[in-house]
């Protein structure tokens, strides 16, 4: 009987939803994302939120979306300041800081890795606006 029921159960197809560029960006930004909030549970919550936020039609491209998400995961106010024109890209990414910490160094490595893959992280204030709209619309609990 169990074999018969097993054969009648619909199979679930695995659907790959991440584009290759999004996947590569996740790989490049993974260290910085973890350093933003050093907890496996926070990392899982971050990835779930990012994937849900990335489903909108007006979201930035994958590498931009992932990079902005990592930076917002660390300090959303910096992304908001970039969106509003109060800071530039160097201040947003932390590359202009004299006192480099582990997070800022991981951001620099991520940006270098993406540049070498032809996927530079160069968001515009409009990208930041679209990102924040999508990011704010998603809440992930536990």
């Amino acid at each position: 009987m169990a074999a018969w029921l097993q054969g009648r159960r619909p199979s679930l197809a695995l659907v790959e939803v991440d584009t290759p560029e999004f996947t590569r960006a996740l790989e490049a930004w993974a260290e910085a994302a973890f350093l933003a909030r050093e907890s496996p549970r926070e990392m899982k919550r971050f990835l779930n939120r990012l994937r849900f936020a990335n489903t909108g039609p007006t979201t930035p491209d994958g590498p931009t979306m992932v990079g902005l998400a990592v930076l917002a995961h660390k300090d959303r106010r910096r992304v908001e300041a970039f969106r509003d024109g109060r800071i530039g890209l160097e201040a947003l990414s932390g590359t202009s800081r004299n006192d480099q910490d582990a997070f800022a160094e991981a951001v620099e490595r991520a940006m270098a890795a993406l540049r070498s893959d032809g996927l530079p992280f160069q968001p515009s204030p409009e990208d930041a606006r679209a990102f924040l709209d999508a990011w704010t619309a998603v809440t992930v609990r536990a």
Side-chain angles (χ1 to χ4, degrees), residues 61-130:
D61 63 60
T64 301
M65 185 73 175
V66 175
L68 289 171
V70 169
L71 296 171
H73 189 55
K74 176 71 172 173
D75 185 358
R76 179 189 170 106
R77 293 170 300 180
R78 281 182 28 193
V79 178
E80 291 169 343
F82 177 72
R83 173 199 62 196
D84 298 340
R86 295 189 315 256
I87 63 171
L89 182 56
E90 285 185 351
L92 170 67
S93 63
T95 56
S96 65
R97 297 163 70 194
N98 292 331
D99 57 325
Q100 293 289 308
D101 60 6
F103 175 77
E105 291 170 2
V107 167
E108 286 184 7
R109 283 191 295 277
M111 291 172 56
L114 290 172
R115 271 193 308 273
S116 72
D117 286 349
L119 302 168
F121 178 67
Q122 297 177 336
S124 68
E126 285 302 315
D127 289 333
R129 180 172 287 106

Side-chain angles (χ1 to χ4, degrees), residues 1-81:
M1 182 69 163
W4 180 78
L5 289 174
Q6 181 68 25
R8 300 204 23 105
R9 237 172 59 188
S11 64
L12 298 175
L14 178 62
V15 178
E16 184 65 42
V17 295
D18 295 342
T19 65
E21 293 82 13
F22 187 85
T23 300
R24 178 61 190 116
L26 281 175
E27 291 168 357
W29 286 98
E31 179 187 9
F34 184 76
L35 290 172
R37 295 187 190 172
E38 296 183 38
S39 158
R41 180 167 286 173
E42 281 294 329
M43 187 68 168
K44 176 128 175 85
R45 191 174 294 130
F46 165 77
L47 290 171
N48 286 338
R49 185 176 188 187
L50 174 58
R51 284 196 168 105
F52 280 118
N54 194 44
T55 61
T58 60
T59 57
D61 63 60
T64 301
M65 185 73 175
V66 175
L68 289 171
V70 169
L71 296 171
H73 189 55
K74 176 71 172 173
D75 185 358
R76 179 189 170 106
R77 293 170 300 180
R78 281 182 28 193
V79 178
E80 291 169 343

